[in-house]
Amino acid sequence: QVQLVESGGGLVQPGGSLRLSCEASGFTFSSYVMNWYRQAPGKERELVAIISATGESTTADSVKDRFTISRNNAKNTLYLQMNSLKPEDTAVYYCSVWRHTTRFWGQGTQVTVSS
């Protein structure tokens, strides 16, 4: 079955960096578009970044020029490099894949940006 396992979250000061990882299994990772979402307390889940099977990517305006999505198809792993972090980036971050008629989610990893 599809499994997505995020890691790399934590507490970081404003201006700092983190790299999130998402290990995927149970499907042909290299064939699918992958996404990073985030959900802050009291807010709806929002799309942060998307990457195609061949590596074309786009990011939300709120994180453009600070966050970079990438993938390693040989390792079945999705990444999110986050630089110049701001307190408003505090959220639980999820990787996700839409496969057939179902959207699958990982368990999420907490990112807290605070001094």
Side-chain angles (χ1 to χ4, degrees), residues 5 11 47 65-68 71 75 86 90-91 103 108:
V5 180
L11 173 64
L47 179 64
D65 299 327
R66 299 189 298 120
F67 290 12
T68 303
R71 64 193 299 159
K75 294 185 176 180
K86 304 176 181 180
T90 295
R103 179 167 289 284

Side-chain angles (χ1 to χ4, degrees), residues 1-2 4 16 23 30 44 55 62 66 77 89 96 98 115:
Q1 70 277 24
V2 173
L4 302 169
E23 294 186 23
S30 60
E44 293 187 357
S62 59
R66 299 189 298 120
T77 302
D89 296 318
S96 178
W98 181 268
S115 55

Side-chain angles (χ1 to χ4, degrees), residues 67-109:
F67 290 12
T68 303
I69 187 172
S70 63
R71 64 193 299 159
N72 185 326
N73 288 339
K75 294 185 176 180
N76 289 351
T77 302
L78 178 72
Y79 302 100
L80 186 68
Q81 178 67 43
M82 305 186 295
N83 299 327
S84 302
L85 282 160
K86 304 176 181 180
E88 52 263 43
D89 296 318
T90 295
V92 179
Y93 285 72
Y94 301 89
C95 66
S96 178
V97 62
W98 181 268
R99 184 171 179 265
H100 300 316
T101 60
T102 302
R103 179 167 289 284
F104 294 89
W105 301 93
Q107 83 287 352
T109 186

